[in-house]
Amino acid sequence: MKISELSQRAGIALSTLKYYQREGLVSGGARRNATQVDYDETHVQRLRLIRALLEVGGLSMAAAKEVLRTLDDVATPLAETFEVAQAALAGRRPSGGGSDLLAEARARVQHLAQSRGWCVSEENPGLDVAAGALEGMLAINHDPSPEYLDAYADAAQAAARADLQALSLLSRQDQIAELMVVGTVLGDPLFAGLRRLAQQDATQEIFSITTTREEPQP
Amino acid sequence: MKISELSQRAGIALSTLKYYQREGLVSGGARRNATQVDYDETHVQRLRLIRALLEVGGLSMAAAKEVLRTLDDVATPLAETFEVAQAALAGRRPSGGGSDLLAEARARVQHLAQSRGWCVSEENPGLDVAAGALEGMLAINHDPSPEYLDAYADAAQAAARADLQALSLLSRQDQIAELMVVGTVLGDPLFAGLRRLAQQDATQEIFSITTTREEPQP
């Protein structure tokens, strides 16, 4: 197919597609003659993957490149592919610096993981991501209850099992690697969106829609 | 306290603090004399909240302003405060355009919510966020199983209940509003980080760390 059809099939503007080519994210098509290049289904798939990472998953161009490079290298062990996807995602969040509060938050997240018998390394970027969130709560003097943290850990564990279950249904190694990356990137917004929906439902149960806030008591 | 002490207590650089003041996020202190302004604990708290929204939660300046304006207006009903926080977060994700795949993804998310009896409005931004993620999966020809989507919906529901449970323990309306906003923003990275940790644990169970990917079969 021509580049114009490729652009349409992948749902990506022609100018954006050319930008991705200049950045080296997509390989060129087969040259048919001096003026025409042929693209096929593999190009459509590749562009859809790029779109999922950049536009839906919100990765930076640098992080997407790193992830794609790992995917393209079939010699990379699967566990390492996972790590690269996780690190790319972690890069989206600015680190909170080295405050005392962050150290406390980190220790509590580690304790939470240990109490569940999770086997995790010190380098797992999830540690900093979760600790950063917990630090933000502690910073406004909101100390989450053990029940709250357990509920989130339960939710995370159930989602992670579903992720791995989906992977175990695939047999082709390149498909497993691709789903690892895309599932890691897109599982977050999937959960985030569903949580908003569930929150609205739960809010209606607990707070009346028309309740007006009163003046705060000193 | 002086502005230098305020900067230190809140863990925010002086230049950043002054930027927040120029942007109108923090009110000025009490003027003690022509050259000195006094700040108190309310300023420390306010800056920590701003830091949680901007640096940890990753909101844009415009979104953070909107959220803070809603928090400052005590006449805003609680349910509306929630909606503003959700909309601010949704703004972080670029919308996927109006593709057929997105329409299909949206319909499936709506069906998922309905099947659980969730009472949600058409305008809930979570619908687009979750649909965008699902579209990204469909775009790479990965059609998640009903079990996978149910696992994520279960996880989201459990987290949303924990969110609301934490809110119900508070009595001061201004604290409830603040936790609604911060919990909405920080619950996502808390879950995301914990999911990375749980994934690592589950990966070790299923895939050997040293497994090298084979060449893909055509």
Side-chain angles (χ1 to χ4, degrees), chain B residues 30-80:
Chain B
R31 189 158 286 281
R32 189 189 280 178
N33 55 47
T35 58
Q36 214 176 328
V37 177
D38 238 17
Y39 295 92
D40 59 27
E41 281 307 312
T42 63
H43 293 94
V44 176
Q45 274 306 103
R46 175 71 166 200
L47 283 168
R48 286 181 173 164
L49 171 64
I50 292 167
R51 199 169 149 248
L53 295 177
L54 289 175
E55 295 183 23
V56 188
L59 290 197
S60 68
M61 178 57 76
K65 273 186 187 173
E66 175 72 17
V67 165
L68 289 168
R69 194 160 39 227
T70 312
L71 272 182
D72 291 341
D73 178 12
V74 292
T76 309
L78 279 173
E80 199 181 313

Side-chain angles (χ1 to χ4, degrees), chain A residues 48 51 55-56 70 74 77 86 89 94 96 119 121 124 132 139 152 163 184 188 195-196 199-201 213, chain B residues 48 51 55-56 70 74 86 89 94 96 119 121 124 132 139 152 163 184 188 195-196 199-201 211 213:
Chain A
R48 285 180 174 164
R51 201 171 147 244
E55 296 183 22
V56 189
T70 313
V74 291
Q86 295 196 335
L89 260 178
C119 183
S121 64
N124 188 310
Y152 267 80
D163 293 338
T184 298
D188 291 342
R195 186 168 68 104
R196 310 272 174 285
Q199 274 180 340
Q200 187 182 14
D201 184 60
R213 282 192 269 149
Chain B
R48 286 181 173 164
R51 199 169 149 248
E55 295 183 23
V56 188
T70 312
V74 292
Q86 296 196 336
L89 259 178
C119 182
S121 63
N124 189 310
Y152 268 79
D163 293 337
T184 298
D188 291 341
R195 185 167 71 102
R196 309 276 173 283
Q199 274 180 339
Q200 187 181 13
D201 185 60
T211 307
R213 280 192 270 148

